[in-house]
Every structure is written in structure tokens, then in C-alpha cells.
Amino acid sequence: MAKYFDVHPQNPQRRTIAGVADSIRSGALIAYPTDSCYALGCQLGSRDGIGRIRAIRDLDERHHFTLVCGDFAQLGQLVHIDNDVFRAIKAATPGSYTFILPATKEVPRQLLHPKKKTVGVRIPDHTVAQALLAELGEPLLSSTLLLPDEKEPLTQGWEIKERLDHVVDAVVDSGDCGTEPTTVIDFSSGEPEIVRRGAGDTARFE
């Protein structure tokens, strides 16, 4: 049975956030809110967590996982990024964007695209997600909480708890956070390619 954490959307209770972070460090798979929609998250190197996310979402090996970062210092340790791309991404973050870039050796091999050796990274503009990342002190391995054969992600914490009680370890509920996943921009070739149009405005990348 999943733990249920009720978190204030503007002023997250520090003790509650610390409890969620402790669960993640202990190997928990969580459902948590972001600035686009709810996501599944676990510790960066958790093989068990990666396997469980793949099973819940029915993902194949070509799926790009996302490393959710608190700031550019974390992001810069995970991906190779030149000055032009840096400026483009800096102007769009924090926000509802996922950027696909060549990964550094800091990223576990099982998270990489098997051929391109790339990974998705993002910095969310969401108070609760940022509080959790600050408490955790490291990026969170994530994937949109979109179940197989469903067109929209789950948006309510209580519904997530009800439906995924047996497959996740904790649900962080801070209210409705929308149904639109992030906009995905592939910068792996040096030029922006819009892979998915979502919550983030694509105008600056076209």
C-alpha cells in the first residue's frame, strides 16, 4: 500500500518533503506533481525503480527517461552542452520543457537511448517539485505518469493512490497540476528538433 503525502502547493511542509526524500533514498518509486502533469520518480541509479516504471507504462528500451534537476549545476553534470544550446535552454528554464542531449558518464547506462547515448533533462517550475529536489540534493529519475492505452495522464493525487496503490510506494498530492506533458526538444544534433508539442511554448525553438 502506497504512503500518501498531502503537501501544501505554495508552502510545502518541510517535514513532509523530508519524509518523501527519505522514501526515495530508501528505494521508493513515487508519483509526484510537476509543472506539466504528474510523474513517476525514483532515485537515479535504481534499477528496480527503472524496471517498475517500464512495467507500469509498458515502455520499450528506446524510451527517453527524464532526469529532473533542481538547477543548471545539476543539469550540467548529466549532459554535454555547448554555449549556443546552453543559452537557448537557459532562456526556457525553469519550465515545462524536456531537452534531449548527449549524456555524460555520470548517467547510468541503462537510462541512455541505446543508439544515440542521449537522455532527457529538465528543470521544473513547480514549488513542490523544487522543494523535493532541494531536499533530495540530486536529480530525480522521472517519466510522465501516462498509463498504457490512456490518452491523458492522471491528474488527481487521490485517484493515483486509488489506481496505483499496489505498484507505487508513495503519492505526493499538492492538488491538480494539469494534463499536458512537457514539450520535448531534441538538441542532440546541436539544432533544436521539436519531438513533442506539450505544455511549453515551442515558438522560441522554431
Side-chain angles (χ1 to χ4, degrees):
M1 183 178 291
K3 294 180 181 177
Y4 184 78
F5 295 93
D6 189 6
V7 180
H8 193 282
Q10 277 82 46
N11 299 292
Q13 306 92 316
R14 179 138 191 206
R15 183 178 294 182
T16 305
I17 293 295
V20 179
D22 285 343
S23 295
I24 294 168
R25 293 188 193 101
S26 298
L29 175 63
I30 71 165
Y32 73 102
T34 77
D35 52 345
S36 56
C37 54
Y38 269 87
L40 296 167
C42 67
Q43 201 165 29
L44 188 60
S46 174
R47 287 181 174 272
D48 177 67
I50 294 165
R52 291 167 69 188
I53 291 172
R54 287 191 190 279
I56 291 168
R57 291 205 52 204
D58 192 22
L59 301 172
D60 63 27
E61 65 174 11
R62 295 186 302 276
H63 176 74
H64 267 112
F65 282 99
T66 299
L67 305 181
V68 179
C69 304
D71 53 33
F72 255 93
Q74 287 186 349
L75 188 147
Q77 294 174 354
L78 301 170
V79 290
H80 296 289
I81 183 167
D82 65 29
N83 289 336
D84 289 341
V85 174
F86 175 88
R87 282 192 290 270
I89 293 177
K90 183 76 171 175
T93 55
S96 302
Y97 299 92
T98 297
F99 301 101
I100 297 173
L101 289 158
T104 68
K105 292 181 179 179
E106 298 295 316
V107 180
R109 184 176 297 177
Q110 67 265 30
L111 301 183
L112 304 181
H113 186 283
K115 291 184 179 178
K116 298 180 179 179
K117 306 305 180 190
T118 50
V119 70
V121 288
R122 69 173 298 224
I123 302 174
D125 186 14
H126 190 277
T127 301
V128 173
Q130 280 289 348
L132 179 56
L133 290 163
E135 182 67 32
L136 194 61
E138 61 184 56
L140 192 59
L141 169 64
S142 293
S143 184
T144 302
L145 210 177
L146 182 62
L147 299 179
D149 302 321
E150 295 198 10
K151 293 182 179 179
E152 291 191 344
L154 300 177
T155 62
Q156 301 288 342
W158 63 266
E159 183 185 9
I160 294 168
K161 171 81 163 77
E162 196 172 81
R163 294 186 60 183
L164 301 183
D165 202 29
H166 60 298
V167 292
V168 301
D169 302 306
V171 176
V172 180
D173 188 354
S174 64
D176 196 342
C177 63
T179 62
E180 202 168 14
T182 56
T183 290
V184 179
I185 311 292
D186 189 341
F187 267 112
S188 59
S189 68
E191 296 295 325
E193 177 189 348
I194 300 168
V195 177
R196 179 178 72 194
R197 295 177 188 272
D201 183 11
T202 59
R204 70 175 76 232
F205 300 108
E206 296 185 271

